[in-house]
Amino acid sequence: MMGNQFFCLKLLLAFYLSSCHYVSVAHTENSFLPLKAVNLGNWLVTEGWMKPSLFDGITNKDLLDGTQVQFMSTKLQKYLCAENGGGDVVVANRTKPYGWETFRLWRVNESTFNFRVSHKQFVGLEDENGGSKLVATSDIPTNMETFQIVRNDGDPSRIRIRAPNGLFLQATGETLMTADYEVSTWEDSWEDSDPSVFKMTVLTNTVLKGEYQLTNGYGPDKASKIMRDHWNKYITEDDFKFMSENGLNAVRIPVGWWIAKDPTPPKPFVGGSLAVLDNAFTWAQKHGMKVIVDLHAVQGSQNGQPHSASRDGYREWGESYIPDTVATIDFLAERYANSESLIAIELMNEPQGVNLQSLKSYYQAGYDAVRKHTSSAYVIMSSPLDRDPKVLLPFARGFSGVVMDVHYYNLFSNQFSNMNVQQNIDYIKNHRASELASLTTSNGPLTFVGEWSGDWKVRGASKKDFQKFTQAQVKVYSRATFGWAYWAYKGDSNYWNLKWMIENNYFKF
Ligand SMILES: *[C@@H]1O[C@H](CO)[C@@H](O)[C@H](O)[C@H]1NC(C)=O
Ligand SMILES: *[C@@H]1O[C@H](CO)[C@@H](O)[C@H](O)[C@H]1NC(C)=O
């Protein structure tokens, strides 16, 4: 009896192993799965909220790319408005500021800017032949759309705007803004009655602080040193040693599209990050860890977020960007295909508001680009933030060696505002667990909780509360077949800093 049972078991096991081997011939890395990983966030793609001091040395650091501003004529006590949101004149007849009265900055240098209106045109002078009327009709910023903001020394919110013809803007009347006001150097009147004086409101809650703002804020002379210092100090080989000694077996490394153009990426991005990524692979290998290369910032921006390196918060990635984005993936796959540490390439982080058909075309082409160079690396597809996470499941079933990435934060939505400790934990145990289970299907892609954190909206929580919350998450997310990755390894805020959490005994797994 016993012998017979044993034999059956052996047969079954042999059959199981050989069939596994057959279907997943390309994927011999499975002993690392499910991954226990951490995101090296704010390293090769910077995010100001994780380390605000990076921005400290920028002149006029409240006026970064994408910052939204409003201008009120002190004489008329009315706001500047791009009539119809753009494609029309600029007037000064609005008593309250809304979207049409709000302008997004494109920074040329510390005092010179383009103003982008809500329908995406730029404010400029009507024509080059002496016309001084202000309009918002150009789709690209040329010299005629470039203005200098001159701030009052005593009150930096009182400004004048110098137009490209060298003269200042004035509210000639409520329905006419012209660039024909001369301010003599000896006259420094900032009276309310002066038609060239405006009160500038910076919408501080709109300020973007990403890699674009950082590098363009410092400008070409300073950005290179700032970035190199940051790359060299933020993550070092010691960190890989620490991660590996503490039981983590992989890192997810966000990268930006410009890394493929190294060493001379388009401005304002700074060259040199590719060598840093090379180092990460070397260190990972030395300390027995795997690397996920995550294309986090995609040309054109796939979500308008600062972490996509968006210039001004508009999402512009779409069909026309597919070839360039595939080329970036092709470059990364070719470079790291033969590294023992490469476990996966993620095609695009957190698409939001992109056309689903374009996303699928891109995922198909990106998958093919990876497979050109490696049959063993997994290909990760991030599920679009603005859709049901199951939307790509049928599509993803058509590939082998594919992973679906979902991000789970008990934040960024009002539903978490009033949840207490237990309700947060229950949400993980119930809602997250069942969603993850529904995504994890036997003939479908592997599943990955590629971002999550121990932070939440509960205020005044105790250490024990945090421990319970992170442990509940680890327990559920460990059921993801590809594993999980904490956001992030390092950051000024403790609960976004896995190193701190581990050192202070907030985190066990
Ligand atoms: C900023 O750019 C403008 C336009 O190119 C130029 O005239 C000005 O000198 C620059 N200012 C600084 C501080 O670099
Ligand atoms: C502002 O001026 C424009 C241009 O003359 C006009 O079409 C619009 O109706 C005015 N709006 C208000 C609120 O006065």
Side-chain angles (χ1 to χ4, degrees):
M1 266 302 252
M2 284 232 331
N4 203 15
Q5 251 179 9
F6 182 61
F7 178 75
C8 281
L9 206 67
K10 245 172 70 175
L11 202 71
L12 212 69
L13 200 69
F15 176 75
Y16 178 72
L17 284 178
S18 70
S19 65
C20 275
H21 181 73
Y22 182 72
V23 293
S24 64
V25 62
H27 299 101
T28 50
E29 316 280 7
N30 291 1
S31 65
F32 276 79
L33 301 186
L35 298 179
K36 294 170 182 170
V38 64
N39 284 280
L40 303 186
N42 189 41
W43 189 28
L44 303 184
V45 179
T46 45
E47 299 189 32
W49 70 277
M50 295 176 71
K51 194 173 193 289
S53 61
L54 274 176
F55 288 73
D56 282 353
I58 297 177
T59 308
N60 276 334
K61 66 176 177 178
D62 58 336
L63 302 181
L64 298 173
D65 284 281
T67 294
Q68 298 180 25
V69 296
Q70 295 159 344
F71 304 107
M72 188 189 71
S73 157
T74 56
K75 178 169 183 235
L76 302 177
Q77 295 286 308
K78 295 272 170 75
Y79 287 91
L80 253 59
C81 168
E83 199 58 75
N84 290 311
D88 205 332
V89 291
V90 175
V91 292
N93 66 4
R94 298 306 209 282
T95 50
K96 280 197 174 143
Y98 301 103
W100 294 359
E101 294 77 31
T102 302
F103 302 86
R104 295 183 192 211
L105 300 179
W106 277 27
R107 185 168 159 130
V108 176
N109 60 38
E110 62 190 52
S111 55
T112 306
F113 303 87
N114 313 123
F115 304 129
R116 202 175 195 194
V117 302
S118 48
H119 290 169
K120 298 190 174 179
Q121 297 93 336
F122 293 88
V123 173
L125 296 190
E126 191 167 34
D127 67 81
E128 294 179 46
N129 313 316
S132 65
K133 191 169 146 193
L134 205 61
V135 294
T137 51
S138 177
D139 291 329
I140 47 160
T142 69
N143 183 46
M144 294 304 282
E145 285 76 37
T146 302
F147 298 86
Q148 188 189 357
I149 294 180
V150 180
R151 304 181 107 164
N152 178 323
D153 287 338
D155 176 1
S157 72
R158 280 177 98 74
I159 61 152
R160 285 195 171 94
I161 302 170
R162 195 197 302 266
N165 64 4
L167 302 174
F168 288 89
L169 295 188
Q170 63 168 325
T172 304
E174 290 204 353
T175 56
L176 187 62
M177 285 290 303
T178 52
D180 54 2
Y181 191 85
E182 286 185 66
V183 181
S184 336
T185 46
W186 62 86
E187 180 200 5
D188 195 19
S189 148
W190 289 84
E191 300 298 317
D192 271 2
S193 57
D194 187 319
S196 71
V197 174
F198 296 87
K199 177 119 182 116
M200 177 173 67
T201 308
V202 175
L203 304 185
T204 48
N205 63 337
T206 66
V207 172
L208 304 174
K209 285 192 172 171
E211 183 108 354
Y212 199 103
Q213 288 71 29
L214 184 66
T215 50
N216 203 35
Y218 278 105
D221 297 338
K222 295 185 192 149
S224 180
K225 182 177 184 323
I226 297 279
M227 297 313 295
R228 281 161 195 270
D229 286 352
H230 170 66
W231 295 332
N232 291 335
K233 282 190 208 131
Y234 202 67
I235 303 285
T236 66
E237 184 178 347
D238 281 347
D239 293 310
F240 279 80
K241 187 163 178 279
F242 177 90
M243 292 185 272
S244 153
E245 283 172 358
N246 283 283
L248 297 164
N249 65 3
V251 287
R252 177 173 179 257
I253 306 183
V255 301
W257 60 271
W258 57 90
I259 201 169
K261 311 276 184 196
D262 214 78
T264 50
K267 277 180 191 165
F269 299 108
V270 166
S273 61
L274 188 60
V276 181
L277 184 58
D278 288 350
N279 286 342
F281 270 92
T282 306
W283 299 333
Q285 177 134 2
K286 199 165 154 197
H287 297 279
M289 297 181 74
K290 295 290 180 188
V291 177
I292 298 163
V293 179
D294 152 39
L295 184 55
H296 210 75
V298 175
Q299 203 162 1
S301 176
Q302 74 280 26
N303 54 32
Q305 296 292 325
H307 52 70
S308 71
S310 166
R311 180 168 197 177
D312 61 15
Y314 288 122
R315 178 206 42 77
E316 294 185 333
W317 187 89
E319 203 72 27
S320 65
Y321 283 92
I322 292 177
D324 280 344
T325 314
V326 172
T328 305
I329 293 295
D330 188 70
F331 172 88
L332 292 166
E334 179 172 25
R335 190 171 186 89
Y336 298 111
N338 296 323
S339 164
E340 215 177 278
S341 293
L342 179 73
I343 190 158
I345 292 180
E346 180 152 2
L347 300 177
M348 176 188 284
N349 178 64
E350 295 189 351
Q352 182 165 27
V354 308
N355 175 287
L356 195 60
Q357 208 44 54
S358 303
L359 186 64
K360 286 181 184 171
S361 314
Y362 167 65
Y363 278 170
Q364 173 74 59
Y367 179 88
D368 294 342
V370 175
R371 284 288 168 261
K372 246 168 58 187
H373 304 289
T374 162
S375 58
S376 63
Y378 289 90
V379 178
I380 305 181
M381 298 179 182
S382 179
S383 101
L385 287 192
D386 53 332
R387 293 174 190 270
D388 183 320
K390 287 198 285 294
V391 72
L392 285 177
L393 260 192
F395 169 78
R397 277 198 189 105
F399 302 89
S400 94
V402 155
V403 179
M404 284 296 308
D405 180 16
V406 288
H407 295 173
Y408 287 155
Y409 293 108
N410 279 21
L411 292 161
F412 314 124
S413 156
N414 289 336
Q415 67 174 312
F416 302 111
S417 300
N418 300 313
M419 280 191 188
N420 63 26
V421 173
Q422 193 55 47
Q423 286 167 327
N424 272 283
I425 291 170
D426 289 343
Y427 188 85
I428 302 299
K429 286 190 189 160
N430 302 323
H431 183 92
R432 298 294 193 208
S434 78
E435 184 181 294
L436 197 54
S438 74
L439 285 168
T440 311
T441 57
S442 58
N443 62 342
L446 299 182
T447 47
F448 180 42
V449 182
E451 291 187 19
W452 63 280
S453 103
D455 203 6
W456 50 3
K457 294 201 173 186
V458 176
R459 292 292 148 244
S462 69
K463 182 169 180 172
K464 189 115 200 85
D465 294 334
F466 274 104
Q467 287 168 330
K468 276 161 57 187
F469 183 52
T470 54
Q471 259 148 45
Q473 292 193 84
V474 167
K475 192 168 170 214
V476 169
Y477 305 160
S478 296
R479 296 174 203 155
T481 44
F482 192 72
W484 51 259
Y486 193 84
W487 189 281
Y489 177 69
K490 242 181 159 183
D492 280 10
S493 164
N494 291 340
Y495 308 114
W496 298 93
N497 181 331
L498 188 62
K499 182 170 195 280
W500 182 91
M501 303 258 300
I502 290 173
E503 284 170 340
N504 290 278
N505 197 30
Y506 273 76
F507 198 98
K508 278 208 212 71
F509 56 90

